[in-house]
């Protein structure tokens, strides 16, 4: 359990590293960590009090500060052994550092057979049947109310802005529901059939705890998935981490075009 002071200490370090606060944060998912290399001042997560250390491959653990955004290169996952609260620690730290809109990117498998590896998809909603929620426990009123609405968890306004930027970059954007699985094992074909039956289009191991935490404190959230593979069993697919990394890397140029425009516009 973190105290409010833990979040404040992290926020203070972030603002001081940045020389001021930013309203927008961008979180880079698996295989996208190098996307904004060289675009701003770098601070290692290890220099920010109370930040966990990313242990996942492809997650660098660096904060890049640009003129108009904090860019998080590397995030934390439940499968690393962190609690759901720890995976979202940075979201509250960013909130106290001034962030009011957060773009969460990730690599995801396609449950929906109409999607293909290399596609970029907006997250319209999510399904979290993990039984976990980062906000279980005493409520911290300074962040938000005990019970809060999730009917528009992924901001329609930010999605519209993202769609416009994607069009300008020549990206044919997909949109779908993100189904959370803890990993680290990829899913079985039966699990993917279940996810499809329940309304999932994409499957992945991140994003939902951060989204919940961000909505609690009233941030606008945008979720963007890079489809790196067909989910297990879809069209007979199997999944490998190498394929995930390679496909996310290959989509990097298009994604960067869209994200740069978006950060400037919102
Ligand atoms: N399943 C879960 N997480 C993922 C996948 C997948 O198929 N691809 C990328 N992240």
């Amino acid at each position: 359990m973190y105290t409010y002071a833990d979040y404040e200490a992290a926020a203070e370090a972030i603002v001081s590293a940045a020389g001021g606060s930013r309203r927008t944060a961008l979180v880079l998912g698996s295989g996208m960590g190098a996307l904004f290399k060289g675009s701003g001042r770098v601070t290692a997560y290890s220099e920010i009090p109370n930040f966990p250390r990313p242990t996942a491959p492809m997650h660098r653990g660096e904060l890049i500060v640009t003129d108009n955004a904090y860019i998080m290169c590397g995030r934390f996952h439940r499968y690393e052994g962190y609690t759901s609260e720890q995976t979202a620690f940075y979201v509250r730290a960013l909130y106290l550092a001034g962030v009011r809109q957060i773009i969460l990117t990730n690599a995801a498998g396609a449950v929906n057979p109409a999607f293909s590896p290399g596609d970029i998809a907006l997250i319209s909603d999510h399904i979290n049947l993990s039984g976990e929620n980062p906000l279980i426990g005493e409520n911290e009123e300074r962040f938000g109310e005990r019970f809060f609405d999730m009917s528009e968890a992924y901001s329609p306004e930010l999605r519209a802005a993202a769609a416009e930027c994607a069009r300008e970059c020549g990206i044919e954007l997909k949109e779908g529901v993100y189904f959370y699985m803890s990993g680290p094992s990829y899913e079985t074909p039966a699990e993917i059939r279940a996810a499809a039956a329940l309304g999932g289009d994409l499957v992945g191991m991140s994003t939902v705890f951060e989204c919940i935490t961000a909505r609690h404190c009233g941030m606008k959230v945008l979720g963007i998935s890079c489809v790196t593979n067909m989910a297990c069993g879809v069209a007979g697919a199997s999944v490998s981490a190498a394929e995930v990394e390679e496909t996310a890397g290959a989509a990097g140029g298009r994604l960067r075009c869209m994200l740069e425009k978006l950060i400037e516009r919102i």
Side-chain angles (χ1 to χ4, degrees), residues 226-247:
C226 174
V227 175
T228 52
N229 56 282
M230 299 314 288
C232 190
V234 178
S238 61
V239 189
S240 76
E243 178 190 11
V244 168
E245 183 170 7
E246 191 184 321
T247 313

Side-chain angles (χ1 to χ4, degrees), residues 30 106-110 178-179 181 183 185-187 192 203-206 226 228-232 239-240 244:
S30 296
N106 60 47
Y178 182 88
F179 195 100
M181 294 290 269
S185 50
Y186 289 117
E187 300 71 32
I192 293 302
V203 63
M205 306 177 192
S206 67
C226 174
T228 52
N229 56 282
M230 299 314 288
C232 190
V239 189
S240 76
V244 168

